[in-house]
Amino acid sequence: MRTPVIGEDACVCDNAPNQPREIVIPSPAWLASALPTEPVVDVVERMRVAVGLAERNVAEGTGGPFGAGVFVEATGELIAAGVSVVVESHCAHAHAEMMAVGLAQRKLGTHDLASAGLGDLQLVSCCEPCAM
């Protein structure tokens, strides 16, 4: 039987010793410095953030042209952002939207973003979100 254990940086499954035991998907080193430091109140500006991240991801050679962010809808506070690193990480989980949501969950300390007490959150993606 598979026993998942959530660690600081990975999900570890102890059921198959000859299988990879963790998934670690780092964001590109430049990402933190590319994020807005002030709230992004206008939804068009939020989309510009996502598009800008996608463009930078390609320019830096760190992934495909996909960027996303999780914002507090009422205030425009950016909770977390992600870019696609699917090819680079060899992991289908690493779509920009999934990275943004996963990083928001880690930052807020909960799998249930609605329970974080921030009101409605908004996922903004530079294109149609993936089916993941």
Side-chain angles (χ1 to χ4, degrees), residues 5-12 22-25 102-103 105-107:
V5 179
I6 303 300
E8 182 64 27
D9 293 311
C11 176
V12 179
E22 60 185 16
I23 298 172
V24 177
I25 309 170
L103 290 167
Q105 291 170 323
R106 295 294 296 265
K107 181 176 181 177

Side-chain angles (χ1 to χ4, degrees), residues 71-94:
F71 295 87
V72 177
E73 193 166 15
T75 66
E77 176 189 357
L78 177 63
I79 302 301
V83 293
S84 175
V85 289
V86 170
V87 174
E88 294 72 14
S89 66
H90 308 291
C91 185
H93 297 98

Side-chain angles (χ1 to χ4, degrees), residues 27-74:
S27 294
W30 57 263
L31 184 61
S33 66
L35 301 178
T37 57
E38 298 295 322
V40 185
V41 180
D42 182 71
V43 70
V44 173
E45 291 301 315
R46 293 177 195 169
M47 181 60 76
R48 285 192 179 112
V49 169
V51 170
L53 293 173
E55 291 172 343
R56 176 91 181 258
N57 204 32
V58 171
E60 295 282 346
T62 50
F66 306 100
V70 176
F71 295 87
V72 177
E73 193 166 15

